Amino acid sequence: MSLSLNQWTTRRWSVAEAVDGCVRHGLAAVGLWREKVAEQGLAETVRLVREAGLRVSSLCRGGFLTAGGLPGEEDRHAFARALDDNRRAIDEAAELAAACLVMVVGGLPGVRAGAPLPASGLSREPAAGGSAPCPPGFSRDLAGARERVAEALGVLAPYAGERGVRLALEPLHPVYCPDRAVLSTLGQALDLCQAYPPEQVGVVVDTFHVWWDPRLSDDLARARGRIAAYQVCDYLHPLPADVLLGRGMMGDGVIDFGPITRAVAGAGYTGDVEVEIFNADVWAADPNDVVATMKARYAALVPAG
């Protein structure tokens, strides 16, 4: 395994600055974000990465496949737009020769990431014997949302396969289930993969999201051939008010990285290891200092040996 900088860890850096930073710090790979690639321009990003001799360990992100209604409901337009955006993401990943396209599959329909629930205009008191009615566009049907993800995967996996792109389903910690990912465990993601060839659909193992799972060892053992990306950062305790920013530098939280890395290696993964951190203090620091700390903490805490 080789260390890779996920671009969001040094969020202030543009693609050009991140590529330059990787070269200066001796890293062989970079994980890119679509927003940053769009700012730099896709063609220019491809040129910069190739001239620097870097691998693109991942492109983040596709997904948010639960938009609109649920199967059988009227609103299919948002779902169609989500599929179109994911096709564009697949095309971008192909141009970048990315090892995978990370798929954050989306939360409950009608819940926007990080935003309050839509106002219902109704009393918050539940009806007798039931729960409060849902506001328009919002659904509490978790099983139905997962069905929508499976439906979308049936459309997108063949499209990705034709273009040599591997979709990487990322389970997120359950705290993000309402608004970001109705896949909460590695086992759920692996179950969805089984209908597709491993080179077409795999999984992301992100320590922040999976460290707590009592079935993690068993699921990593059955993930052989399916791990498309391995991402590391620490889980801070207590979490900040904005739980999205609870990802810390390795060693600043509660995760024991060695056993997870050994299990990932035992499942046959030999790809890059991305450090992906969402943290206001990390983002405010000098990106060069962040990368230097990242390299030191990775070497001390993450390898399987």
Side-chain angles (χ1 to χ4, degrees):
M1 301 185 195
S2 178
L3 180 59
S4 173
L5 170 68
N6 184 286
Q7 191 177 10
W8 223 242
T9 299
T10 52
R11 187 176 176 180
R12 293 189 309 181
W13 272 351
S14 66
V15 166
E17 291 168 328
V19 167
D20 175 69
C22 285
V23 172
R24 287 187 292 102
H25 287 274
L27 302 178
V30 63
L32 297 174
W33 277 66
R34 293 182 68 201
E35 296 94 321
K36 296 287 191 178
V37 171
E39 291 171 5
Q40 190 74 54
L42 179 59
E44 177 65 5
T45 299
V46 170
R47 185 190 68 80
L48 288 168
V49 169
R50 289 179 180 170
E51 289 186 357
L54 296 178
R55 297 183 297 276
V56 178
S57 51
S58 74
L59 178 64
C60 195
R61 60 193 178 202
F64 288 89
L65 304 169
T66 57
L70 295 170
E73 294 184 354
E74 292 182 2
D75 185 7
R76 305 292 291 180
H77 297 295
F79 185 54
R81 289 194 296 271
L83 290 177
D84 286 343
D85 183 62
N86 277 274
R87 291 186 186 98
R88 288 190 292 272
I90 290 167
D91 293 340
E92 292 163 14
E95 286 292 316
L96 291 162
C100 65
L101 173 65
V102 174
M103 302 291 286
V104 177
V105 298
L108 292 172
V111 182
R112 291 191 299 112
L117 293 180
S120 66
L122 302 169
S123 168
R124 297 191 64 85
E125 293 298 320
S131 59
C134 291
F138 167 60
S139 171
R140 296 185 176 93
D141 185 359
L142 178 57
R146 288 172 177 153
E147 290 173 6
R148 175 55 67 91
V149 173
E151 178 186 358
L153 198 60
V155 175
L156 295 172
Y159 185 89
E162 291 169 359
R163 287 150 183 81
V165 172
R166 193 180 197 190
L167 304 181
L169 303 178
E170 182 171 15
L172 267 58
H173 190 282
V175 73
Y176 303 111
C177 187
D179 62 348
R180 286 183 170 84
V182 294
L183 296 182
S184 300
T185 68
L186 183 60
Q188 289 175 316
L190 288 169
D191 289 344
L192 267 184
C193 288
Q194 298 309 309
Y196 306 97
E199 65 273 12
Q200 218 173 79
V201 183
V203 297
V204 180
V205 177
D206 184 320
T207 56
F208 178 87
H209 294 302
V210 303
W211 71 274
W212 59 273
D213 188 349
R215 290 194 53 83
L216 181 59
S217 294
D218 292 339
D219 285 332
L220 284 172
R222 75 181 181 100
R224 176 167 291 275
R226 290 286 182 181
I227 300 177
Y230 181 35
Q231 297 180 334
V232 297
C233 72
D234 221 329
Y235 187 101
L236 300 181
H237 181 77
L239 288 172
D242 184 349
V243 296
L244 185 66
L245 305 185
R247 304 167 72 100
M249 189 65 73
M250 296 80 70
D252 289 347
V254 300
I255 297 176
D256 186 3
F257 294 95
I260 300 176
T261 303
R262 286 192 290 273
V264 168
Y269 183 75
T270 58
D272 296 303
V273 184
E274 288 185 3
V275 175
E276 183 187 58
I277 299 175
F278 291 52
N279 182 289
D281 291 335
V282 171
W283 290 343
D286 183 328
N288 286 292
D289 293 340
V290 170
V291 176
T293 301
M294 177 188 87
K295 290 175 61 180
R297 297 284 186 90
Y298 173 85
L301 298 172
V302 177

